[in-house]
Amino acid sequence: MDMEKQIHYLENQVEIKTRNSNKLLMIFGTDHMPKIASSTDPDIVRLHSDILPVFTAVVLAYNSRISAKAAHKSATAVIKNLLKDLSKNKVPAWDVFIQTHYTKKSPGYIAVLPRGRKTLNSGKMDQRIQELAAFITNCGNDAKLAPTKTEAQTVYAAINAARSLQQSKEGSAKDLSATIEVARVNLSNYLYRNICFLAYKHYDNPK
């Protein structure tokens, strides 16, 4: 066989196989670590000592990323629930209240809800948050709409806070993705080194 067909044997197969799977790397690592941890062979003790902090760094980064993704998912659920409540309960109640003072299609009603409930109930997340802010602005200093404006401000503050938290968790997850990628490559190199050394040391007894 020519060298080009054999070159994959010279490449780090651990790194290659785990490029799209941090979970697979964790499986490799957690399978390898206890096997060498129990050895009293000085060479293998050194291998374990060298790789332990590298493996620990991967575990910490991996677990932190899982936690960050869970926190982001939770924060997203909070926003979705708040927006669902806005559409199902808050907006209809505000619309009815406004119509007790301004009939639908009247100038006073249009000034507050130019397109009725539609803009508050549809669109992407940030668009709906912006529309809610616009609704609050539209209420202005109209004393008759003060109760609705106050409630809308409370709802807006809650949604905005949830959105800020969600974005911060999203940023954390992305930052940790970069961290775990560095740790993945590092551990892959150590695992490959250990495999090569063990294959050399125990060439006549691969088990």
Side-chain angles (χ1 to χ4, degrees):
M1 295 185 184
D2 60 43
M3 182 59 74
E4 288 186 4
K5 292 181 179 179
Q6 291 296 309
I7 195 68
H8 67 280
Y9 292 117
L10 303 178
E11 296 175 333
N12 185 341
Q13 294 301 308
V14 178
E15 194 279 320
I16 293 171
K17 296 295 184 182
T18 62
R19 282 177 184 172
N20 297 312
S21 179
N22 293 320
K23 184 177 181 179
L24 183 59
L25 178 69
M26 292 295 295
I27 292 173
F28 286 162
T30 53
D31 177 69
H32 178 68
M33 294 301 291
K35 290 178 179 177
I36 61 173
S38 59
S39 177
T40 56
D41 183 304
D43 289 333
I44 298 178
V45 169
R46 177 175 57 80
L47 292 183
H48 181 264
S49 178
D50 288 348
I51 199 174
L52 182 58
V54 180
F55 177 70
T56 300
V58 169
V59 171
L60 289 174
Y62 183 78
N63 290 341
S64 295
R65 184 168 180 266
I66 289 176
S67 296
K69 289 178 72 175
H72 177 261
K73 187 174 181 179
S74 175
T76 300
V78 170
I79 298 173
K80 288 182 177 180
N81 287 338
L82 287 169
L83 290 174
K84 182 178 179 180
D85 182 60
L86 178 69
S87 297
K88 186 177 180 180
N89 300 308
K90 297 294 191 294
V91 173
W94 296 342
D95 190 10
V96 170
F97 181 78
I98 291 168
Q99 290 189 58
T100 62
H101 298 287
Y102 303 105
T103 58
K104 202 166 187 177
K105 296 185 180 180
S106 67
Y109 180 90
I110 294 173
V112 182
L113 290 170
R115 298 176 62 190
R117 304 177 185 182
K118 184 177 180 180
T119 55
L120 289 169
N121 290 342
S122 61
K124 294 183 178 180
M125 187 180 295
D126 287 330
Q127 182 183 346
R128 292 182 65 189
I129 294 172
Q130 291 170 2
E131 289 294 339
L132 179 55
F135 171 73
I136 293 169
T137 300
N138 292 345
C139 287
N141 296 319
D142 191 329
K144 295 187 290 294
L145 302 182
T148 295
K149 180 179 180 179
T150 298
E151 186 177 9
Q153 287 173 325
T154 300
V155 173
Y156 175 76
I159 294 175
N160 219 28
R163 178 62 170 145
S164 295
L165 177 62
Q166 181 213 34
Q167 289 176 321
S168 70
K169 296 303 180 182
E170 182 178 16
S172 295
K174 287 181 179 179
D175 290 342
L176 286 167
S177 292
T179 299
I180 199 171
E181 174 58 15
V182 172
R184 181 194 69 81
V185 173
N186 200 19
L187 179 59
S188 295
N189 289 338
Y190 271 84
L191 286 170
Y192 186 61
R193 184 197 70 165
N194 284 10
I195 291 169
C196 292
F197 179 83
L198 292 170
Y200 167 77
K201 184 177 178 69
H202 300 289
Y203 71 94
D204 59 345
N205 184 24
K207 295 184 179 180

